[in-house]
Amino acid sequence: MVWDEWERSKASAAERRFTEMRLDQPPADRAGDGPSGGAGGSRLKHAARPWNRAAATAGILRTSTRTARTDLATGHAGTAGGLAGLSSLASLTSVLDSWENRLGAVEDECVALEPALRRAGGELVGVDHGVGATTNAVRVPHGGDAT
């Protein structure tokens, strides 16, 4: 029974009209739409805004991670003296150290990532302008297809 169902699925798929696959392009009916489109057709354009938003998010994460580390340290202050002699103290200390290390690594990554994201946005926009100026200097003979 399963084989018959498979054969019916294959036959049904073969009867359907297949659409053309397009790589690295918007569908033909959407050319010119969205952030890559425009009067000149479908062109890749970079904007600094998404990069700056990502950088701002990294900054917010850095700040909240630092706050979490401070809250964690404050919450565990004095536990070593109050739990002395209990077997759970070693586990609690191990977990605390592990979380402090993880949060510290996240904070360090955010410190490095925030300025890198801001630079990337600015550099990509600069590349767009540079490439645009270079390609505009190329002359296409009348009637030539520049796409």
Side-chain angles (χ1 to χ4, degrees):
M1 189 66 162
V2 174
W3 185 258
D4 293 336
E5 194 173 321
W6 170 249
E7 289 297 325
R8 280 194 307 270
S9 292
K10 285 185 354 183
S12 174
E15 290 173 3
R16 280 188 238 135
R17 195 179 82 165
F18 289 102
T19 59
E20 179 182 335
M21 180 185 286
R22 305 175 123 253
L23 300 176
D24 296 325
Q25 298 176 4
D29 61 336
R30 293 189 58 215
D33 290 350
S36 297
S42 179
R43 298 176 191 259
L44 179 62
K45 294 182 181 178
H46 296 97
R49 184 175 181 191
W51 295 94
N52 289 334
R53 289 171 68 190
T57 301
I60 292 167
L61 180 58
R62 176 185 42 83
T63 301
S64 62
T65 301
R66 182 176 294 152
T67 301
R69 285 180 70 191
T70 302
D71 291 348
L72 189 62
T74 302
H76 284 84
T79 55
L83 298 176
L86 294 176
S87 61
S88 62
L89 179 60
S91 295
L92 181 62
T93 303
S94 173
V95 169
L96 174 62
D97 291 343
S98 172
W99 273 108
E100 285 179 339
N101 290 337
R102 290 169 195 232
L103 291 172
V106 169
E107 186 178 344
D108 292 345
E109 186 68 25
C110 289
V111 166
L113 192 56
E114 184 178 5
L117 288 168
R118 290 193 195 283
R119 271 193 315 274
E123 288 174 2
L124 288 172
V125 169
V127 166
D128 276 357
H129 291 296
V131 170
T134 302
T135 57
N136 287 340
V138 175
R139 297 291 171 216
V140 178
H142 183 64
D145 186 10
T147 58

